Amino acid sequence: MKIRRVLATAVAAAVTAPVVLLSSAPAFADEKPAAQTQKAKPTIEELKQAVERAQKEYDAAVIAVNDAVKFLEEGLEEETYPTKAALIEAEKAAEDAAKVKDEADQAVVDAQAELDAATTDEDKAAAQTALDEAETAATEAAEAKTAADTAHTEARTAHDDERVAQVRKIDLLQKARDEAKTKLDDAEKALSDAEGEEGEEPAGECVPAPELTAVVSGLPDKVVGGTTETFTLRVTNGTGSTMDEVYPFASAHGFDTKGYKELDSYLDLEWSTAANPKWRDADLLGGASIGSLKANASVDVKLRLKVDADVLAGQGSVYVTADYLNDDGTCGGYPDLDDYGFQILPKGDDAGGPGKPEDPKDKPAPNSPTGQGGTSTTPVNTSSTTTGSLAQTGSNDALPKIALAGGAALVLGAGAVIITRRRNKSTGA
């Protein structure tokens, strides 16, 4: 479900963004963040126009290739084409020269026979003159044939060069056609993906549903490295109508005592239900429906937090919320993202043990409603004072809490608004 995936991304950003903020010195407290610009995502209509342009380019490229091939096969071979006309003329001249040479050679043979047959001095003299003339003519014919053959070869080469040039042109046009086809495929895919994403969106405006609650119970105020804590997320439909599909969300995050190192990789949150008892990664919970939930009914999701033995001391929180999507396309969700805070102790350092009473002025009661930390049943404060307080605080013991709560204020406040604005295209809204 897209509502949940967007919020899950916001959660991850919320607990990592503070690291950057905390690294700034107090001197930068009054500085305004640099303006950020982001290229607008193309609309469906713009993507359709891009497909149309790409289709026209591809069609033109195909026509260009076909025309070039046709010219190679037909146009270059027309008798009126310059190199083809020259080749035809050269071929004819070479054939004529060969014929003249053959006749001249035969004349020499005949003149020699006349000389051999002469008996008188007068006849022999006349025959010798005829032979000399025939031999001269044969020599000239041979030279003419050689020249004609050379001209024919040159004409053939010139025409072949034209064909080679055309083949190279076709190759370039084919590459352009293939590039146009790739561009068209990319444009069509972009349009298809956009239409698919648009089709996944819920129809109409998703609405805030504060009556759909997600409440954690049984989470201790302290967790120790190398241990596992099991607790419950109760999702309740406090409305007067059945919700067809309910999507709970839970995610665990943490920072070390200095507020610089995130400890998410040391916290493994899993979930299961009575209907699906197999433990699964909580990262998948936001996209998994727990089915329908009748009016004023509740369902329990078991949560299991595994704390890595190598975890550092710090502060952690479990963030929870829930959304719903009905068969008629209506949708909504709990408008806030509640967080349940806990202290993270390294392995072997369970001073006092989980749940040991502490001075109320030092730490709020475990899992009790607080402004930013513990059980939060009100929207996380996103006012401008958060950023100011963060800049003035500097690096001290409050940083882990600021990293968790302040990050949620900066990022998750916007994320909670996003889930109420998802549109469902299935009803044509």
Side-chain angles (χ1 to χ4, degrees), residues 87-100:
L87 176 59
I88 293 173
E89 183 178 351
E91 286 177 344
K92 186 175 184 306
E95 291 174 356
D96 292 344
K99 183 178 179 181
V100 170

Side-chain angles (χ1 to χ4, degrees), residues 32-382:
K32 295 182 179 180
Q36 297 181 357
T37 58
Q38 184 176 3
K39 186 177 181 180
K41 187 176 181 180
T43 64
I44 296 296
E45 183 59 32
E46 290 173 338
L47 291 173
K48 288 181 178 179
Q49 292 175 357
V51 170
E52 291 178 0
R53 290 193 298 270
Q55 184 67 60
K56 291 179 180 179
E57 291 178 6
Y58 174 66
D59 291 343
V62 170
I63 292 174
V65 170
N66 293 339
D67 288 347
V69 171
K70 183 178 181 180
F71 181 70
L72 174 67
E73 296 174 347
E74 300 178 8
L76 282 175
E77 299 308 315
E78 291 182 0
E79 294 182 356
T80 56
Y81 190 75
T83 56
K84 182 64 175 179
L87 176 59
I88 293 173
E89 183 178 351
E91 286 177 344
K92 186 175 184 306
E95 291 174 356
D96 292 344
K99 183 178 179 181
V100 170
K101 182 179 180 302
D102 290 342
E103 292 174 350
D105 290 340
Q106 185 61 46
V108 170
V109 173
D110 294 342
Q112 184 64 54
E114 288 290 337
L115 178 60
D116 293 341
T119 57
T120 66
D121 291 340
E122 185 179 355
D123 291 340
K124 288 179 180 181
Q128 183 63 52
T129 299
L131 176 60
D132 292 341
E133 292 175 352
E135 288 176 343
T136 299
T139 300
E140 293 174 352
E143 292 174 352
K145 181 179 182 304
T146 299
D149 288 343
T150 299
H152 179 221
T153 300
E154 291 174 350
R156 168 58 65 188
T157 300
H159 188 61
D160 288 345
D161 288 346
E162 286 285 315
R163 292 181 61 83
V164 170
Q166 186 65 15
V167 169
R168 290 174 178 171
K169 181 178 180 181
I170 291 173
D171 182 62
L172 294 176
L173 290 172
Q174 288 174 334
K175 290 180 179 178
R177 177 201 61 193
D178 294 343
E179 291 175 357
K181 182 62 167 65
T182 299
K183 183 178 179 181
L184 174 60
D185 291 343
D186 291 344
E188 289 177 337
K189 184 178 185 303
L191 175 59
S192 177
D193 291 346
E195 290 177 336
E197 291 176 1
E198 186 180 59
E200 290 179 4
E201 298 291 345
E205 291 290 343
C206 291
V207 297
E211 300 86 355
L212 175 62
T213 59
V215 179
V216 167
S217 62
L219 175 65
D221 61 339
K222 297 179 181 178
V223 298
V224 181
T227 65
T228 298
E229 301 292 347
T230 302
F231 51 103
T232 301
L233 172 64
R234 171 160 291 185
V235 181
T236 301
N237 175 9
T239 69
S241 304
T242 296
M243 295 178 175
D244 296 324
E245 297 288 345
V246 175
Y247 296 83
F249 171 81
S251 183
H253 303 281
F255 278 86
D256 69 349
T257 54
K258 294 183 179 180
Y260 292 123
K261 180 178 177 60
E262 62 89 11
L263 304 178
D264 293 8
S265 59
Y266 299 91
L267 305 176
D268 183 15
L269 187 62
E270 299 176 323
W271 70 281
S272 70
T273 63
N276 297 282
K278 181 179 178 181
W279 289 102
R280 281 162 288 183
D281 195 318
D283 287 344
L284 305 177
L285 180 57
S289 168
I290 56 175
S292 64
L293 194 58
K294 294 182 179 180
N296 300 312
S298 299
V299 64
D300 287 343
V301 177
K302 293 182 180 179
L303 296 176
R304 183 169 69 180
L305 179 64
K306 294 181 179 180
V307 186
D308 191 278
D310 297 327
V311 71
L312 303 176
Q315 296 287 337
S317 281
V318 172
Y319 294 90
V320 298
T321 190
D323 294 323
Y324 73 89
L325 177 64
N326 292 327
D327 294 340
D328 62 2
T330 57
C331 58
Y334 183 66
D336 306 319
L337 188 71
D338 293 344
D339 70 282
Y340 293 76
F342 53 86
Q343 185 179 0
I344 302 173
L345 301 177
K347 183 177 181 181
D349 185 7
D350 56 351
K356 178 183 176 181
E358 298 186 19
D359 190 335
K361 67 181 180 180
D362 296 328
K363 182 176 179 65
N367 294 334
S368 61
T370 63
Q372 291 186 2
T375 305
S376 174
T377 57
T378 59
V380 178
N381 181 15
T382 59

